[in-house]
Amino acid sequence: MRKMLMNYFFAFTLLLGLFGSIQVFAATQPSELNQSTEVHGHGGHFRHNPEFIKKQAESMGIKTEGKDTETIAKEIREAMIKQRAEALGISTKGKDIDSLAKQVFETEVKNEAKKLGISTEGKDLREVAREIHETQIKKEAKELGISTEGRDLRDVAHEIRETQIKNEAKKLGISTANKDFHQIAHEVRDKKIFQAAEKLGLNTKNKSADELFNEIMTKHADKVKELDLFPHKGPGMHFFFKGPRGE
């Protein structure tokens, strides 16, 4: 069941382009996922929307008739891995999908490390990925004026996300007074969904944010990025693992 859900989530994060494509490897390593796989509470919507999965598969030329959702999601995942491999110049010939996913992951990590000036010589790729992750957190913290000196980077990442959400609330005219972070995040999420729905000309009368989100994802998934539904990936969204953990 857990692997099935990860196949779902993997497919959607790739399709929407919300994160870097490094997560292809994470899809083959479900025991190493962390809580960063939730995006303002929408992870469940991705996993449990068979109609969305079906439409995305059909748009990729994948036949869906007579197939269950798990099978369709698996085929989407495989197609996306192969597409990414080809884009990176990686041969797919004679390789099983998990080996190919791992090679894509390794290539993505090395490319990102090179971009950030991080040496990969003599290092395990997971170590390199963590360095990239830490570098990204520190970069975002600096941009937001958040101190990292002597602090656990998980705490810094949490503060970054809170700051981003509060900044977004301010832009949207949402009051943050006497509200906890989760309430603010929820209000930001709902308002952005309603704004996106209105831009798309959807009827919002008597509909909840969840209903509208499902409608957007099912009918207009190709427009999600330009609608800015997910303005902040947040530190930790690029890499979905943090070292081995027990089942």
Side-chain angles (χ1 to χ4, degrees), residues 161-173:
R161 183 165 179 261
E162 285 198 358
T163 303
Q164 289 175 330
I165 291 294
K166 287 176 180 177
N167 288 346
E168 194 69 27
K170 187 177 180 180
K171 284 195 291 184
L172 293 169

Side-chain angles (χ1 to χ4, degrees), residues 111-119 131-133 135-136 139:
N111 288 348
E112 187 69 14
K114 185 177 180 180
K115 192 191 305 181
L116 294 171
I118 296 170
S119 172
E131 284 188 44
I132 292 171
H133 175 64
T135 301
Q136 289 169 335
K139 181 183 176 183

